[in-house]
Amino acid sequence: MRSGVTPKLVAWDTTTNQLSRVIYLPPPIAPKDAFVNDFTIDGRHKKIFIADPAGGANAALIVVDIATGAARRVLEGHRSVVPENVDLAIDGRPIQVKGANGQLVTPHIGVNPITEDLENEWVYFGPMHGLSLYRVKAEDLTNESIDAPTLASRVERYSAKPICDGITIDKDNNIYLGNLAENAIGVIKSDRSYQQLAKSDQLSWVDSFSFGPDGRLYAVVNQLHRSAALNGGENVAKAPYFLVEVRALAAGLAGR
């Protein structure tokens, strides 16, 4: 993340416990301010779709071909990936970072949450600091013959959403997320309505949703907003940190 090191995808073989592959993402695929972040793997089209919030205005999606390692940067600067002018406050405290001059700045982060339905038809995504979730067909994202304006025209607003980090989806197309401002876990149901599933002071920045065996859904609680990076340089996070099991509305794909 913005360290001068070329961003990369690393594939680790958990069966042999060995490094399997490294795919580098040099400029202009990942610019100097890239923050290659959440991603989803499309087994049907053999692609990986990565969210890169970058510097905000230049946020984009990165499409990686698993077979060749070739990558493309798409939808850069589109309304579906750039942050909206909405602030995040948790427990009454605004999220603030130290700017280059040492002054506190309220960050607005672009595209971060991203997932894909189990049929590999629609890719769902949106800016972290944004109140809308968007989607586009995976077939359009992977079609290199579609020019940028045409691809942009095929992105549709799917639903409202709260400010959130990672998301995932079940077999019935219910989309799960952490409602960061509310210390809650919610779901955008297949009818595009929002439902709160759980709320607690202990659900302090819920992220990294993933289905496991038997259709069980898991997430982590990491108190990220209490870390020095997002709390004006002061780390006030305290253990314990949690791995939580969420009662999903339907089963999902293990690993997604």
Side-chain angles (χ1 to χ4, degrees):
M1 175 184 174
R2 306 174 183 131
S3 62
V5 176
T6 301
K8 56 186 176 292
L9 275 168
V10 178
W12 187 266
D13 189 325
T14 56
T15 302
T16 64
N17 200 31
Q18 292 180 332
L19 179 66
S20 174
R21 191 175 179 195
V22 177
I23 298 175
Y24 289 95
L25 304 169
I29 302 304
K32 287 184 178 180
D33 58 359
F35 179 17
V36 289
N37 199 358
D38 290 15
F39 62 88
T40 186
I41 300 174
D42 184 320
R44 175 181 165 197
H45 298 95
K46 307 300 181 185
K47 298 289 193 293
I48 298 175
F49 305 120
I50 307 173
D52 178 15
N58 63 334
L61 299 184
I62 299 173
V63 181
V64 181
D65 186 290
I66 296 175
T68 66
R72 297 182 299 125
R73 189 173 184 85
V74 299
L75 296 176
E76 182 172 282
H78 189 260
R79 70 180 187 281
S80 62
V81 297
V82 299
E84 299 175 24
N85 188 26
V86 291
D87 296 340
L88 174 60
I90 303 176
D91 300 327
R93 299 185 64 177
I95 303 303
Q96 295 181 315
V97 301
K98 279 192 175 181
N101 57 4
Q103 292 190 337
L104 295 180
V105 176
T106 300
H108 291 154
I109 299 172
V111 64
N112 181 335
I114 186 169
T115 193
E116 185 178 15
D117 64 48
L118 274 58
E119 301 301 321
N120 297 131
E121 180 182 8
W122 291 99
V123 179
Y124 297 85
F125 59 95
M128 177 178 166
H129 283 77
L131 303 179
S132 294
L133 187 71
Y134 298 86
R135 71 176 186 176
V136 68
K137 285 194 172 181
E139 183 176 346
D140 291 335
L141 271 185
T142 59
N143 188 345
E144 298 186 31
S145 68
I146 297 178
D147 61 24
T150 302
L151 179 60
S153 71
R154 295 183 182 180
V155 175
E156 63 180 62
R157 183 183 185 274
Y158 180 72
S159 69
K161 76 166 185 67
I163 296 176
C164 66
D165 206 332
I167 61 175
T168 193
I169 193 168
D170 67 22
K171 67 179 184 63
D172 291 340
N173 295 330
N174 300 300
I175 298 172
Y176 302 86
L177 52 83
N179 186 336
L180 302 183
E182 298 294 329
N183 293 324
I185 295 172
V187 58
I188 299 169
K189 300 171 69 175
S190 56
D191 63 3
R192 308 192 188 196
S193 66
Y194 178 77
Q195 175 184 337
Q196 184 172 285
L197 295 179
K199 179 178 172 66
S200 168
D201 289 343
Q202 291 184 323
L203 296 176
S204 190
W205 200 295
V206 183
D207 190 15
S208 300
F209 287 88
S210 183
F211 278 92
D214 305 319
R216 296 184 179 184
L217 177 59
Y218 299 91
V220 301
V221 180
N222 59 29
Q223 301 181 44
L224 188 60
H225 61 294
R226 296 173 179 165
S227 68
L230 294 182
N231 191 50
E234 181 184 3
N235 180 22
V236 295
K238 294 181 180 179
Y241 303 90
F242 301 111
L243 172 66
V244 296
E245 182 179 326
V246 183
R247 183 174 294 178
L249 304 183
L253 177 67
R256 178 166 299 175

